[in-house]
């Protein structure tokens, strides 16, 4: 069975965001998830940061300090090669989870 | 690698936290900014931002918690906590650390010593291929009894196929003169194949070449001699050394690590010379003794080579029937070098292993006991939210800290004990390689420490982690039912300890009995109040028997005149071990064939020798001044010879002749008339501890042709035994002065006493008995502490129960009996277990015993009695405390 949990889901959202946008700070990631999901997904904003830190430690994303368009210092994250590979994996796992859950629901 | 990043985070904790704070703040700021631009007031905007974000402090914690660093930091917190705990319980910490570090230190030390001797290969090329050849006596097939002879060497060299090469060598005392102070050197004489066989090459210059034994004499010196005597000067090469007044050209220096010893020699050889081709001692059929060393062919084992050598020996011996019966015995060079110390080292290793086991169990028992006391603390901490895993980790860390400190201390003790051993040098010789606390031994000790820390730490921790909080808090510390169950693990530990100390005590008492028996054995001579002087008279100046006799008479007279001297005797031979024998004939027993000829040690002595040695004359007479060259040659034989060869019949008046009748040389020996019988003296054999009587034939110094016996040497050796009146101290200096008054150029070695010579033969049994007694005492002490600890704890936990019993009418006696019974039951079980294991263990030390059997009932009963007595005392103290419990107060507590 595919190993999927809630944590994995946050990882998936963050990695996917970075894959779509290239380089982004934490706040930007929150905004992107909100917009891209048609306001359906809303994470507690702070809870994003432990996940970001962990993914950075795992070498999936890398971070650097830069200025925002409003001239504010912020930590920008971008995907590494290892992260891109990992994203493919989580995406696949998630597809399977969805498929499985859907099959469950359709079961009569 | 992420793991490195996490660990490096640990060291930049400050930076990391600041960075996280910055990041979170920038997020909040951005949200606030946006809120304001959406029309909120600053206050509203901030509130909303925080609401959406969650508690920043908690978030920060969570982020950091993602780091492995946190685990490590909590580990250090645990270590700090553990250290605080140990400091708070100083008594516990001191006993535990002392016990453990002694155990670890002694074990590491002893095994380092063992390692240098037994495990480390000799510093030679492929040392496992090197084999040394001996003749063993028929009744002791695995101990060297005699050297092979030069003629055997030549025979083996020509015919053996198991060996790549053979070498022959022998010790030869050399006096170096001519350059600076005269020095006495450990010399060796070798065939030119010796160094090739050993696989050694010169450090400087060259070693022996194939044709060196036909040219002018050459010598090779050791690195040690080159350093000490010649200060590493290269000019020594090519220089001429005067050894025993003959010139030798130095051609090479041996490498620094080179060591080649035969038969437990305590030293390496300083200077090597060659067996010269024309040397009359080394002719085709010479019986001159040599140590034969062989290098096995690739893939051939000692077991495979042995039958071949045995066969060749039997073949060669057939030509020479006069030699004593013997069998070939091959041993590896390494084993040969450790024969005498091996048994002692192994006994020591076993004892120290048991000690370590007891030290570990004692500490384990302490830890278990302490954790039982701390159960409430654990329960409270569990109730406050400590997870089982957390408690377990913390307990393990506590134990690791304890064992870590003990391990470090133990290593210091190991270093100290190795140094102490080298300085003490109890065996009189040190291994070829220096004893160091070796890396593998160190690793084993470290592993042992950590493993025992984890194992003994894990059990209590496991117990603690399974604690039922409710139950632990509810049950008071004096609750009777819970206590008995908790004590079971400690009971098992104490039982084991008693069993282990019983094993060691049995071993120690057997070895001690052995030593006492050896010591109380009547030796046939009186070792007290004697001085023994060994002189070497150079042939150059003492070239005739008359000169030797005159010297002996003059010196004896002078020595007798010294104040306090009782008697003085002279002998040409004085050995308390490994005296060889010669065949002799009995005139009235012409029926004895060559194989059944009597064998005895011939000893030539002067008048007064028996008196000075304290050897009793049993019948007939001693030698007298009237026994001279012109009178009838006489002999005195000992009781052992009478018993063996005269069947107890009176031999006085019988005629005997020393030598094999088939040997033409024997015809030159005179027939001797037996005029007296003396008491048998005891002597030992190489690496055998038993005293035994051997047949001896004494002859008179004036009637023997001494010179011919020493023809093969540059010197005639002579012994003087000086017996003083009891309690008179005769200084060595007085003796030296007396000797030099006769001959100022005679080197006088150390003056020994017969007592010292006897003690020297008992070195191994004495050391074994002493060390094992010390170890057994230590383990008994540790076991006593263990019993006391368990009993005391048991009484403390049954405080209330005992109080109730007493309130219900139990008197002091019955309470005392109740507690004592528990201790005695435990002890008896341990004694039974120990006795059974001991019976198995002592089977390995049968060869180390003398005058006592390994199943001697008195030993076992005695050990059991001692252990029971100690256990009784150890449990009496807690029992008395139990009996003095005040029932009213005990019921009021809690």
């Amino acid at each position: 069975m595919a190993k999927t949990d809630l944590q994995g889901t946050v990882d998936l959202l963050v990695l996917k965001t970075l894959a779509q946008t290239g380089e982004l700070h934490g706040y930007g990631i929150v905004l992107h998830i909100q917009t891209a999901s048609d306001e359906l997904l809303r994470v507690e904003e702070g809870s994003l940061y432990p996940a970001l830190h962990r993914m950075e430690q795992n070498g999936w994303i890398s971070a650097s300090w830069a200025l925002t368009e409003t001239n504010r210092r912020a930590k920008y994250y971008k995907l590494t090669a290892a992260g891109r590979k990992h994203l493919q994996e989580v995406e696949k796992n998630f597809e399977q989870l969805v498929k499985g859950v859907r099959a469950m629901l359709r079961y009569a | 690698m992420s793991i490195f990043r996490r660990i490096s985070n640990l060291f930049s904790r400050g930076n990391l936290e600041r960075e996280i704070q910055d990041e979170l703040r920038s997020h909040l700021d951005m949200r606030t900014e946006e809120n304001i631009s959406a029309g909120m007031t600053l206050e509203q905007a901030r509130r909303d931002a925080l609401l959406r974000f969650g508690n920043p402090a908690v978030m920060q914690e969570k982020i950091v918690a993602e780091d492995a660093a946190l685990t490590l930091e909590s580990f250090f917190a645990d270590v700090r906590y553990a250290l605080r705990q140990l400091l708070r319980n100083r008594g516990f910490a001191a006993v535990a650390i002392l016990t453990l570090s002694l155990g670890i230190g002694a074990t590491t030390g002893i095994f380092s010593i063992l390692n240098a001797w037994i495990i480390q290969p000799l510093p030679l090329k492929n040392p496992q291929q090197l084999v040394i050849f001996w003749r063993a006596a028929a009744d002791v097939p695995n101990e060297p009894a005699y050297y092979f002879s030069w003629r055997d060497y030549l025979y083996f060299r020509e015919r053996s196929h198991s060996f790549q090469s053979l070498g022959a060598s022998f010790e030869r005392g050399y006096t170096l003169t001519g350059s600076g102070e005269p020095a006495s050197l450990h010399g060796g004489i070798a065939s030119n194949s010796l160094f090739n066989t050993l696989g050694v090459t010169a450090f400087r210059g060259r070693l022996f070449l194939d044709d060196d034994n036909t040219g002018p004499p050459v010598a090779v010196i050791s690195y040690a001699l080159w350093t000490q005597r010649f200060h590493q000067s290269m000019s020594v090469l090519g220089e001429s050394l005067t050894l025993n007044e003959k010139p030798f050209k130095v051609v090479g220096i041996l490498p620094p690590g080179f060591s080649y010893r035969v038969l437990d020699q305590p030293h390496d050889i300083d200077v090597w010379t060659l067996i010269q081709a024309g040397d009359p001692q080394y002719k085709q059929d010479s019986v001159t003794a040599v140590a034969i060393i062989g290098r096995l062919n690739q893939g051939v084992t000692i077991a495979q080579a042995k039958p071949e050598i045995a066969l060749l020996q039997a073949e060669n011996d057939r030509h020479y029937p006069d030699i004593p019966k013997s069998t070939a015995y091959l041993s590896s060079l390494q084993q040969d070098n450790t024969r005498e110390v091996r048994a002692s080292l192994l006994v020591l290793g076993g004892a120290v292993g048991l000690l370590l086991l007891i030290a570990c169990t004692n500490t384990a028992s302490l830890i278990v006991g302490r954790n039982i006391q701390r159960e409430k603390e654990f329960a409270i901490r569990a109730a406050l939210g400590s997870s089982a895993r957390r408690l377990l980790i913390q307990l393990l860390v506590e134990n690791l800290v304890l064992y870590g400190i003990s391990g470090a201390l133990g290593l210091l003790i190991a270093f100290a004990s190795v140094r102490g051993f080298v300085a003490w040098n109890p065996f009189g010789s040190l291994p070829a390689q220096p004893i160091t606390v070796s890396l593998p031994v160190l690793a084993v000790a470290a592993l042992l420490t950590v493993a025992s820390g984890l194992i003994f730490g894990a059990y209590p921790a496991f117990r603690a982690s399974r604690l039922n909080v409710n139950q632990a808090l509810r049950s008071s510390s004096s609750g009777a039912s819970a206590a008995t169950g908790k004590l079971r693990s400690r009971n098992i530990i104490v039982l084991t300890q008693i069993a282990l100390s019983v094993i060691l005590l049995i071993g120690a008492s057997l070895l001690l009995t052995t030593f006492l028996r050896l010591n109380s054995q009547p030796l046939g001579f009186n070792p007290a109040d004697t001085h023994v002087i060994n002189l070497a008279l150079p042939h150059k100046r003492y070239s005739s028997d008359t000169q030797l006799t005159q010297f002996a008479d003059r010196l004896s007279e002078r020595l007798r005149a010294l104040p306090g001297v009782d008697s003085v005797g002279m002998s040409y031979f004085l050995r308390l071990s490994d005296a060889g024998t010669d065949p002799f004939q009995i005139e009235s027993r012409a029926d004895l064939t060559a194989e059944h000829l009597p064998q005895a040690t011939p000893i030539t002595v002067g008048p007064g020798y028996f008196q000075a040695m304290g050897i009793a004359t049993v019948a007939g007479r001693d030698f007298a001044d009237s026994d001279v060259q012109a009178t009838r040659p006489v002999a005195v034989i000992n009781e052992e010879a009478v018993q063996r060869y005269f069947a107890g019949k009176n031999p006085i008046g019988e005629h005997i002749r020393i030598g094999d009748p088939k040997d033409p040389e024997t015809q030159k020996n005179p027939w001797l008339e037996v005029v007296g019988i003396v008491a048998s003296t005891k002597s030992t054999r190489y690496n055998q501890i038993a005293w035994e009587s051997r047949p001896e034939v004494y002859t008179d110094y004036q009637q023997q042709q001494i010179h011919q016996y020493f023809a093969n040497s540059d010197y005639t050796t002579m012994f003087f035994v000086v017996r003083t009146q009891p309690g008179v101290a005769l200084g060595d200096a007085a003796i030296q002065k007396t000797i030099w008054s006769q001959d100022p150029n005679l080197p006088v070695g150390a003056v020994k006493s017969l007592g010292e010579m006897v003690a020297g033969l008992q070195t191994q049994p004495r050391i074994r008995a002493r060390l094992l007694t010390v170890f057994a005492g230590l383990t008994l002490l540790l076991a006593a502490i263990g019993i006391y600890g368990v009993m005391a704890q048991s009484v403390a936990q049954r405080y209330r129960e005992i109080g109730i019993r007493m309130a219900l009418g139990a008197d002091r006696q019955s309470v005392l009996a109740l507690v004592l019974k528990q201790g005695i039951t435990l002890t008896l079980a341990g004694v039974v277990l120990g006795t059974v294991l001991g019976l198995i263990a002592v089977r390995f030390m049968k060869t180390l015993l003398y005058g006592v059997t390994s199943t001697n009932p008195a030993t076992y009963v005695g050990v059991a009695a001692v252990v029971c007595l100690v256990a009784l005392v150890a449990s009496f103290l807690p029992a008395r405390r139990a009996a003095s419990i005040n029932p009213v107060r005990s019921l009021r507590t809690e």
Side-chain angles (χ1 to χ4, degrees):
Chain A
M1 205 187 111
K3 183 177 163 262
T4 313
D5 51 25
L6 207 65
Q7 193 182 51
T9 317
V10 176
D11 287 6
L12 173 63
L13 295 178
V14 171
L15 292 172
K16 196 73 197 167
T17 303
L18 292 178
Q20 286 161 353
T21 60
E23 201 172 8
L24 215 54
H25 45 68
Y27 181 64
I29 295 171
V30 171
L31 291 184
H32 180 84
I33 291 173
Q34 234 165 312
T35 345
S37 68
D38 297 330
E39 309 278 329
L40 279 175
L41 293 176
R42 192 176 283 208
V43 284
E44 190 186 30
E45 292 175 16
S47 70
L48 197 67
Y49 286 92
L52 280 170
H53 187 70
R54 178 170 38 76
M55 286 190 275
E56 188 188 348
Q57 299 292 359
N58 283 340
W60 296 334
I61 55 180
S62 61
S64 54
W65 287 89
L67 287 180
T68 63
E69 52 270 35
T70 56
N71 262 355
R72 188 174 295 285
R73 255 167 58 78
K75 203 171 172 186
Y76 276 82
Y77 295 93
K78 70 171 184 236
L79 224 49
T80 64
R84 218 171 286 283
K85 226 172 101 194
H86 184 69
L87 173 61
Q88 284 174 1
E89 220 169 281
V90 241
E91 246 178 306
K92 209 171 79 203
N93 288 345
F94 186 78
E95 297 292 356
Q96 256 164 0
L97 176 74
V98 172
K99 245 194 244 166
V101 173
R102 208 169 269 148
M104 227 356 247
L105 294 177
R106 273 202 299 263
Y107 187 81
Chain B
M1 290 292 287
S2 63
I3 182 74
F4 293 131
R5 205 171 317 149
R6 283 173 199 208
I7 286 168
S8 74
N9 281 349
L10 180 69
F11 300 103
S12 51
R13 264 322 270 287
N15 285 340
L16 188 71
E17 303 223 338
R18 214 171 311 119
E19 201 178 311
I20 293 170
Q21 269 170 18
D22 284 352
E23 188 180 12
L24 299 189
R25 197 180 311 115
S26 98
H27 180 108
L28 286 173
D29 287 351
M30 281 192 268
R31 173 59 79 187
T32 311
E33 213 169 278
E34 203 153 308
N35 283 347
I36 290 174
S37 57
M40 293 190 196
T41 64
L42 179 66
E43 205 177 322
Q44 276 176 324
R46 269 217 92 77
R47 236 179 83 83
D48 178 74
L50 277 173
L51 259 167
R52 285 166 181 263
F53 191 81
N55 184 344
V58 171
M59 281 311 156
Q60 173 141 5
E61 289 264 297
K62 279 191 180 165
I63 293 165
V64 174
E66 292 292 341
D67 258 318
L70 183 80
T71 325
L72 277 174
E73 204 180 54
S74 83
F75 173 79
F76 286 119
D78 281 344
V79 170
R80 276 199 298 276
Y81 182 76
L83 284 173
R84 273 207 304 277
Q85 283 285 327
L86 289 182
L87 276 179
R88 203 181 310 154
N89 291 282
R90 285 208 187 97
F92 161 80
V95 172
I97 290 174
L98 197 73
T99 314
L100 262 182
S101 54
L102 266 178
I104 293 165
T107 315
T108 312
I110 297 288
F111 279 102
S112 295
I113 293 166
L114 222 116
N115 178 47
W117 239 305
I118 296 180
I119 300 160
Q120 280 294 306
L122 293 174
L124 294 166
K125 194 179 112 198
N126 295 335
Q128 75 285 353
Q129 290 181 331
L130 292 170
V131 174
I132 195 135
F133 297 36
W134 294 110
R135 285 177 184 271
D139 54 334
V140 194
N142 287 323
E143 293 288 344
Y146 317 100
Y147 283 96
F148 274 109
S149 318
W150 177 249
R151 67 177 180 215
D152 297 313
Y153 165 69
L154 296 178
Y155 198 79
F156 295 149
R157 197 182 61 179
E158 207 162 296
R159 290 170 178 81
S160 161
H161 298 294
S162 308
F163 295 89
Q164 305 173 22
S165 66
L166 293 184
S169 64
F170 206 71
E171 277 185 281
R172 170 167 289 191
Y174 276 127
T175 310
L176 172 64
T177 48
S179 60
E181 270 178 51
S184 191
L185 301 180
H186 300 286
I189 182 159
S191 66
N192 46 17
S193 58
L194 179 75
F195 292 125
N196 265 338
T197 306
L198 292 173
V200 62
T201 48
F203 176 69
R204 293 284 187 274
R206 63 174 179 85
L207 300 183
F208 298 135
L209 301 178
D210 283 347
D211 55 354
D212 270 342
N213 58 343
T214 53
V218 293
V220 165
I221 62 174
S222 74
Y223 185 85
L225 185 71
W226 184 50
T227 307
Q228 283 153 25
R229 177 92 190 180
F230 304 104
H231 312 292
Q232 304 208 338
S233 154
M234 291 300 295
S235 65
V236 72
L237 289 176
E239 212 176 273
S240 175
L241 289 188
T242 310
L243 300 171
N244 289 1
E245 301 177 23
K246 282 174 221 145
F248 289 86
K249 196 177 112 188
V250 177
V251 292
I253 298 152
L254 285 159
F258 174 73
S259 174
Y260 164 58
R261 302 178 185 180
V262 177
L263 209 62
D264 302 320
Q265 270 170 31
H267 309 285
D268 282 312
I269 302 277
D270 296 320
V271 56
W272 285 98
T273 57
L274 270 176
I275 294 170
Q276 291 292 321
D279 193 326
Q281 287 182 62
Y282 298 94
K283 288 187 295 201
Q284 191 63 34
D285 62 345
S286 287
V287 293
T288 309
V290 284
I292 304 178
I293 181 136
R295 183 175 284 281
L296 286 166
N297 274 323
Q298 203 74 40
V300 178
T301 64
I302 292 187
Q304 288 164 341
K306 197 193 154 177
E308 188 196 26
I309 296 301
L311 200 75
L312 290 175
Q313 182 215 355
E315 240 174 67
N316 197 28
D317 282 0
R318 214 171 298 145
H319 307 300
Y320 311 95
D322 59 316
I323 50 174
K325 275 225 153 49
S326 63
T327 57
Y329 164 59
L330 307 189
S331 81
S332 78
L333 184 59
Q334 171 128 17
Q335 244 180 7
D336 191 76
N337 278 347
T338 55
R339 201 172 283 110
E340 280 195 42
V341 295
R342 176 173 291 257
S344 297
L345 285 176
L346 291 180
V347 166
L348 207 56
V352 90
L354 288 184
L355 181 76
L356 178 71
L357 217 57
I358 291 183
C360 284
T361 49
N362 228 21
T363 324
S365 148
L366 274 172
I367 291 171
V368 174
R370 201 164 77 100
N371 286 344
I372 290 173
Q373 288 169 350
R374 286 172 64 188
E375 273 187 0
K376 257 194 190 167
E377 174 202 331
F378 297 140
I380 291 171
R381 289 178 49 181
L384 290 177
S386 244
S387 69
R389 190 167 152 265
R390 194 73 198 75
L391 274 181
L392 199 106
I393 287 173
Q394 195 215 316
L395 269 178
L396 282 180
V397 168
E398 268 186 51
N399 284 307
L400 281 178
V401 166
L402 188 71
Y403 282 77
I405 293 173
S406 312
L409 219 61
L411 267 184
L412 283 183
I413 293 176
F415 276 106
S417 62
V418 164
R419 278 189 157 205
F421 182 88
V422 172
W424 179 30
N425 192 7
F427 297 136
S429 77
L430 293 170
Q433 283 155 298
I435 304 174
T436 48
V437 175
S438 68
L439 278 180
V441 173
L442 204 138
V444 168
L447 206 72
L448 221 65
T449 321
V450 174
S452 58
L454 287 176
I455 292 165
F456 291 127
Y459 177 70
F462 175 69
R463 266 188 62 89
S465 72
R466 278 198 328 180
L467 268 188
N468 180 327
V469 179
N470 258 325
Q471 205 188 339
L473 283 178
R474 216 174 22 213
S475 76
S476 67
S477 63
S478 47
S481 56
T484 43
K486 284 172 196 166
L487 277 172
R488 193 169 303 134
S489 56
R490 292 195 75 188
N491 282 349
I492 292 171
I493 290 172
V494 168
L495 194 140
T496 316
Q497 282 181 340
I498 292 173
L500 288 174
S501 47
V502 165
I503 298 173
L504 269 182
L505 277 171
I506 290 172
S509 103
L510 287 175
L511 288 180
L512 202 63
T513 316
T514 295
F515 178 64
L516 294 177
R517 292 275 152 82
L518 285 172
N519 232 1
S520 61
Q521 185 70 222
L523 297 173
F525 58 90
N526 179 5
D529 306 311
T530 53
H531 296 267
V532 177
I533 307 137
N534 182 5
L535 295 177
L537 304 160
H539 285 343
K540 279 206 166 161
R541 289 188 287 123
Y542 296 88
S543 53
S544 72
D545 286 345
T546 322
Q547 277 174 310
L548 290 169
T549 312
Q550 276 171 359
F551 173 81
D553 285 344
R554 275 202 323 263
L555 184 57
S556 298
E557 202 178 305
R558 286 297 180 93
L559 288 169
R560 235 171 251 135
L562 286 174
V565 170
D566 189 83
S567 52
V568 175
M570 188 280 289
S571 165
Y572 282 105
F573 181 88
L574 177 51
R575 289 198 69 168
L576 302 182
S577 71
D578 302 293
T581 58
D582 280 350
F584 70 96
Q585 295 164 262
I586 304 171
E587 202 179 31
S588 61
R589 296 286 308 273
D591 55 312
L592 293 176
T593 52
E595 283 99 85
H596 297 99
L597 271 185
Q599 293 271 346
T601 307
I603 304 173
T604 301
V605 301
Y609 173 77
F610 297 124
Q611 198 191 344
M613 285 289 286
I615 299 172
T617 309
V618 177
R621 66 169 179 95
D622 186 358
F623 297 111
D625 290 338
S626 55
D627 293 315
V628 290
Q629 210 148 10
T631 61
R632 180 180 244 303
V634 292
V636 170
I637 63 177
N638 72 355
E639 284 181 300
E640 185 68 26
V642 175
Q643 249 159 42
R644 277 204 215 177
Y645 304 123
F646 293 93
K649 269 190 343 205
N650 185 0
I652 292 180
E654 292 268 1
H655 293 107
I656 60 176
R657 181 164 72 177
I658 295 168
D660 182 357
K662 272 196 268 166
D663 185 351
E665 292 286 308
T666 304
Q667 303 303 323
K668 293 186 199 158
N669 294 342
W671 282 96
L672 309 164
E673 181 177 320
V674 178
V675 293
I677 305 169
V678 292
S680 300
T681 57
K682 297 264 168 80
S683 61
T684 62
R685 275 195 272 175
Y686 172 72
N687 206 23
Q688 304 280 300
I689 55 171
W691 289 110
E692 47 185 30
S693 296
R694 321 202 77 184
E696 285 166 339
V697 171
Y698 295 93
T699 54
D700 187 86
Y701 78 130
Q702 297 209 64
Q703 299 178 333
Q704 288 295 307
Q705 294 181 314
I706 290 306
H707 230 84
Q708 87 183 33
Y709 280 125
F710 291 93
N712 288 343
S713 163
D714 302 331
Y715 299 92
T716 302
T717 52
M718 206 183 259
F719 295 84
F720 286 87
V721 182
V722 180
R723 176 169 298 281
T724 62
Q725 282 144 14
V728 174
L730 183 61
D732 290 358
I735 292 173
Q736 277 171 340
K737 240 175 82 184
T738 312
I739 294 167
W740 282 329
S741 76
Q742 294 304 307
D743 183 344
N745 295 316
L746 221 49
V748 182
V751 178
K752 279 195 202 162
S753 73
L754 279 172
E756 283 167 345
M757 289 166 74
V758 169
L761 290 174
Q762 292 173 355
T763 305
Q764 299 301 326
R766 186 174 56 241
I767 287 168
R768 286 197 285 261
R770 251 191 222 169
L771 288 176
L772 210 57
T773 306
V774 168
F775 278 120
L778 269 178
T779 55
L780 188 62
L781 183 74
L782 290 181
I785 293 173
I787 296 172
Y788 172 80
V790 168
M791 297 311 296
Q793 206 132 39
S794 149
V795 166
Q797 280 169 346
R798 294 168 75 182
Y799 195 57
R800 205 159 165 204
E801 175 208 332
I802 293 169
I804 293 172
R805 280 170 189 268
M806 292 182 90
L808 289 177
D811 56 8
R812 282 175 55 95
Q813 258 68 34
S814 61
V815 171
L816 206 64
L818 178 82
V819 178
L820 281 182
K821 206 184 107 199
Q822 193 193 345
I824 295 295
T825 316
L826 210 56
T827 308
L828 285 180
V831 167
V832 169
L833 182 67
T835 307
V836 172
L837 293 176
L839 275 170
I840 300 167
V842 293
R843 287 168 55 193
F844 296 102
M845 41 188 275
K846 269 188 185 150
T847 54
L848 307 181
L849 302 181
Y850 175 78
V852 60
T853 59
S854 62
T855 53
N856 180 34
T859 303
Y860 289 82
V861 173
V863 166
V866 167
V867 172
C868 286
L869 193 74
V870 169
L872 203 65
V873 171
S875 44
F876 183 73
L877 297 172
R880 215 181 48 177
R881 210 172 55 209
S884 60
I885 284 173
N886 181 339
V888 179
R889 207 187 303 156
S890 84
L891 291 177
R892 251 191 225 141
T893 41
E894 305 215 15

